[in-house]
Amino acid sequence: MLSTALEGIRILDLTRVLAGPYCSMILGDLGAEIIKVEAPGGSDETRTWGPPFKGNVSAYYLCANRNKKSLTVNLKTNEGKEIIEKLVQKSDVILNNFKTGTMERLGLGYDHLKELNPDLIYCSITGFGESGPYRHLPGYDFIIQAMSGLMSITGDEQSGPQKLGVAITDILTGLYACIGIQAALLERSLSGEGQKIDLSLYDSAVSALVNIGSNFLVTGNTPARLGNSHANIVPYQTFQSKDGEMVIAVGNDRQFTHLCHILGQPSLARDGRFSTNAQRVENRDELTKILQKLFLTKETAYWKEQCRQKQIPFGPIQSLEEVRKDPQLHARRMFISCPHPKEGQVEMIGSPLNLSRTPVALQHHPPEAGEHTEGILRDLGYDEKTIHQWRLQKKI
């Protein structure tokens, strides 16, 4: 019986920054062997993206690189290409996020590598995909948020377009890559054949428009920026309490009736302007002003207790300090600590994946650049003299 879900799967990870490394970290958490490939000295830009740093390691790099081995190799040399070709023959997946055409120029395109290993799953992550008029453009999360429509619906009319507080299109694309890779591995177990996965940040971001995108396709109406309000549900937004900010998310008319009783205004639920969600959406501004005035009369803790007693979805807007102390997250092991050979204990956000028989595991700290190069090359049959010579020549 396997001790982890992806035990025995080897993934050759040629990605850097966030989308690809986030994908491979998730697969590593699930037990796959991840070999992170960088240029000699380390070429993942996030190693230097700081402050903050934990000693000499950037917090950014730490967030997406645990459970990996590190191999440094110069892909522009014949020796570097040979090393990758040998690893491909012993790997299940190769993951890259170079610009379209780069892998082919390196002699490592899909058509060549599948000849070496017909079982190979080849996953390419680019800004705009490997087809279409934008295929050669570089893609960065911020640019993709702008182009995809996500920024056009984030913020309010006063703020103008806003990006999300994290690189959400990188995260989404990393998750889609995980889904695609695991689907291809599952299909391979039936067909015995590998395949190529072509993912783009742009496609992934547009897919995240979900109901707002559907609203537009159905009506042709350009959505307004509603800030912290919901396009289709009211009240489903932020409110000020007497001492802070909070979110109320009323999902149906029954919950709205309970909310009106909590507020001491049961007649609001019978008011023709507000009795159904459709009417509340039509009269959003009027209802919001009434509710906001009522919420200002009590503290957040009071509304939290009242709403939870009536099973009305409620959440205080918490700072990260409050999130860090939340007992629910500690019970779920969403903050973990990992020993690092140079920087002592490193604290990280844990995995949300809870598998009952094959749980995720923290097996290795985010590696130093080239930390495992010699061991990997020895396993491929290279001798110490060759490895030493290549290191002097900066080929590894």
Side-chain angles (χ1 to χ4, degrees):
M1 183 175 66
L2 299 179
S3 59
T4 58
L6 295 179
E7 184 177 326
I9 298 296
R10 172 182 275 182
I11 295 172
L12 197 54
D13 179 13
L14 278 63
T15 67
R16 72 267 187 227
V17 186
L18 189 54
Y22 191 69
C23 167
S24 61
M25 183 181 73
I26 295 170
L27 298 170
D29 286 349
L30 289 166
E33 178 189 7
I34 311 296
I35 298 178
K36 180 180 179 70
V37 180
E38 298 177 74
S43 53
D44 189 328
E45 296 93 322
T46 64
R47 290 183 180 277
T48 62
W49 283 5
F53 293 91
K54 172 70 172 177
N56 292 313
V57 184
S58 77
Y60 202 122
Y61 174 75
L62 291 172
C63 83
N65 286 287
R66 65 172 174 255
N67 286 339
K68 302 178 186 182
K69 299 175 181 177
S70 175
L71 166 71
T72 52
V73 59
N74 187 342
L75 298 178
K76 296 177 181 179
T77 65
N78 291 331
E79 293 85 353
K81 180 185 174 185
E82 177 186 282
I83 290 168
I84 297 302
E85 288 175 338
K86 284 191 174 185
L87 281 169
V88 160
Q89 295 175 63
K90 297 174 177 288
S91 298
D92 299 280
V93 178
I94 186 168
L95 178 66
N96 85 87
N97 64 349
F98 294 118
K99 287 194 294 185
T100 298
T102 300
M103 288 288 280
E104 286 73 17
R105 286 194 295 274
L106 293 170
L108 299 171
Y110 175 61
D111 290 339
H112 171 58
L113 295 185
K114 74 175 181 180
E115 291 179 0
L116 302 177
N117 181 358
D119 296 344
L120 185 69
I121 309 299
Y122 184 108
C123 183
S124 168
I125 297 174
T126 56
F128 295 95
E130 296 194 0
S131 59
Y134 301 163
R135 63 187 180 277
H136 293 301
L137 295 177
Y140 295 89
D141 175 272
F142 196 9
I143 303 301
I144 300 300
Q145 287 199 44
M147 292 182 64
S148 66
L150 285 176
M151 283 182 65
S152 77
I153 60 173
T154 305
D156 56 33
E157 294 306 317
Q158 288 70 46
S159 72
Q162 297 285 302
K163 74 178 182 67
L164 277 75
V166 295
I168 191 64
T169 62
D170 279 332
I171 296 302
L172 287 170
T173 307
L175 291 171
Y176 275 123
C178 278
I179 294 167
I181 287 168
Q182 291 179 91
L185 287 169
L186 181 62
E187 192 279 337
R188 188 185 71 175
S189 70
L190 302 174
S191 70
E193 298 181 26
Q195 59 182 303
K196 182 176 181 179
I197 302 168
D198 171 9
L199 275 172
S200 86
L201 272 68
Y202 199 24
D203 296 346
S204 299
V206 171
S207 77
L209 292 171
V210 289
N211 62 299
I212 302 301
S214 184
N215 290 351
F216 173 75
L217 294 175
V218 167
T219 67
N221 297 327
T222 300
R225 285 188 295 274
L226 297 175
N228 291 323
S229 299
H230 196 288
N232 304 106
I233 313 172
V234 174
Y236 200 104
Q237 63 195 81
T238 56
F239 288 100
Q240 293 275 346
S241 71
K242 192 173 183 179
D243 65 347
E245 295 176 299
M246 58 192 189
V247 168
I248 301 288
V250 168
N252 55 54
D253 296 337
R254 175 182 54 79
Q255 290 177 354
F256 182 66
T257 298
H258 288 320
L259 180 65
C260 293
H261 279 83
I262 288 171
L263 292 165
Q265 299 291 328
S267 61
L268 280 177
R270 301 188 297 272
D271 191 311
R273 297 167 297 172
F274 312 133
S275 58
T276 68
N277 180 69
Q279 292 164 333
R280 293 193 294 276
V281 171
E282 289 292 326
N283 298 286
R284 176 194 302 272
D285 292 342
E286 191 173 358
L287 178 60
T288 298
K289 289 177 183 177
I290 295 170
L291 297 180
Q292 179 58 87
K293 185 176 180 180
L294 294 168
F295 282 128
L296 283 170
T297 63
K298 301 286 185 181
E299 291 80 4
T300 300
Y302 173 84
W303 297 120
K304 175 182 176 180
E305 180 62 25
Q306 293 296 311
C307 285
R308 290 187 175 174
Q309 283 184 13
K310 293 293 186 179
Q311 297 186 324
I312 298 169
F314 172 97
I317 297 179
Q318 298 188 135
S319 67
L320 292 189
E321 182 178 358
E322 291 170 316
V323 171
R324 177 66 183 85
K325 296 176 180 177
D326 194 315
Q328 174 67 19
L329 295 174
H330 283 276
R332 302 285 291 177
R333 297 193 71 249
M334 280 305 298
F335 296 99
I336 58 176
S337 183
C338 175
H340 190 281
K342 293 184 178 179
E343 310 303 343
Q345 289 294 123
V346 175
E347 191 172 18
M348 294 180 286
I349 293 173
S351 172
L353 295 168
N354 290 282
L355 284 69
S356 62
R357 287 194 302 103
T358 55
V360 299
L362 178 57
Q363 301 180 62
H364 199 281
H365 61 270
E368 297 288 292
E371 184 175 335
H372 305 93
T373 297
E374 293 185 14
I376 292 169
L377 294 183
R378 282 196 299 269
D379 289 344
L380 290 175
Y382 294 106
D383 58 39
E384 296 292 341
K385 181 179 178 180
T386 300
I387 293 170
H388 178 68
Q389 184 179 18
W390 284 354
R391 193 173 292 283
L392 290 176
Q393 296 170 338
K394 296 187 177 180
K395 293 181 178 180
I396 59 174

